[in-house]
Amino acid sequence: MIYYLVGLFDDDSYKYVESLQKTLCEKYNLYRSGTDLPMLHITLEIITDPNLCDLDISLKNILEDYTEFQVELNGVICFDPPFKSVNLNINNSGTIYELSKKINSILNTQGFSVREHIENWNLHISLANTIFSDREWSDNEYLAACNLAKDENLSNVITVRRVELWKPINDNHEMVVKKYIL
């Protein structure tokens, strides 16, 4: 099974990013009324078929020296079909970038199956895509949403408060495997 190690935000940061997410998803009717939107996060690492006990020990050791930290948002990045994803771009520098590289390097050295070529990975926060949405948006809707988000010239600083290990399911209560408070 594939697991996702994700960075999660403090309340103020979450509310800010969530307002952007809601605006896009409502404008393009990606979700039915009353449907919970996907949890906003930054994917730090993707780990395939780990021994969860060994992984937990490794992550505790890696994260023990970290406290909550700030992340700089740097506009919008869109991933074309088949993803059709509109995302907040994360500045590839600072603590978030160093932590992601460190996790990848240490886990790889310890024999865990992690992403290769991490230098090609763009850290981001997915605002809207069709992976978990109630409907797939058209190519024209996707392009319009991407251009609309880019026109906003979004830049801000948010705070990452904790890291969690997730299973790839769209159920906020069952997807969390482990929590690490920074």
Side-chain angles (χ1 to χ4, degrees):
M1 177 180 281
I2 295 174
Y3 291 85
Y4 295 87
L5 190 67
V6 300
L8 300 170
F9 321 122
D10 68 359
D11 290 341
D12 290 338
S13 299
Y14 196 90
K15 287 176 188 169
Y16 169 73
V17 177
E18 184 181 43
S19 70
L20 303 171
Q21 179 190 42
K22 283 181 178 178
T23 299
L24 271 178
C25 291
E26 286 172 5
K27 180 170 180 61
Y28 294 97
N29 297 313
L30 293 178
Y31 295 89
R32 289 184 292 274
S33 179
T35 300
D36 289 335
L37 297 177
M39 277 283 279
L40 296 162
H41 64 278
I42 301 169
T43 300
L44 301 172
E45 188 54 82
I46 299 169
I47 309 138
T48 304
D49 297 326
N51 175 305
L52 291 177
C53 291
D54 292 344
L55 179 60
D56 183 47
I57 292 167
S58 295
L59 292 174
K60 283 178 182 173
N61 288 335
I62 294 168
L63 296 170
E64 71 183 353
D65 294 331
Y66 287 87
T67 60
E68 66 181 51
F69 55 88
Q70 294 190 320
V71 172
E72 185 179 334
L73 303 178
N74 186 16
V76 170
I77 184 170
C78 297
F79 301 137
D80 291 334
F83 306 106
K84 292 184 187 176
S85 181
V86 179
N87 313 278
L88 289 174
N89 192 38
I90 303 296
N91 210 7
N92 277 347
S93 64
T95 304
I96 189 82
Y97 186 66
E98 299 296 324
L99 178 59
S100 181
K101 285 176 43 179
K102 182 176 183 177
I103 290 167
N104 179 273
S105 174
I106 290 173
L107 292 182
N108 185 43
T109 301
Q110 293 176 345
F112 290 97
S113 178
V114 294
R115 293 174 292 161
E116 294 181 13
H117 310 294
I118 190 171
E119 63 278 358
N120 297 332
W121 182 261
N122 288 339
L123 293 171
H124 62 277
I125 303 168
S126 180
L127 295 176
N129 65 58
T130 58
I131 292 174
F132 292 117
S133 66
D134 291 337
R135 72 173 192 88
E136 184 170 342
W137 51 7
S138 70
D139 289 345
N140 287 339
E141 287 174 317
Y142 159 71
L143 290 173
C146 185
N147 289 329
L148 176 70
K150 285 181 177 180
D151 288 346
E152 292 295 316
N153 195 22
L154 299 169
S155 61
N156 202 342
V157 175
I158 60 172
T159 301
V160 171
R161 177 164 282 161
R162 69 185 188 277
V163 172
E164 291 183 354
L165 184 66
W166 288 358
K167 291 187 272 184
I169 58 175
N170 196 23
D171 180 332
N172 293 350
H173 302 292
E174 292 186 25
M175 72 181 178
V176 179
V177 177
K178 292 284 183 181
K179 294 182 180 184
Y180 305 94
I181 305 300
L182 300 177

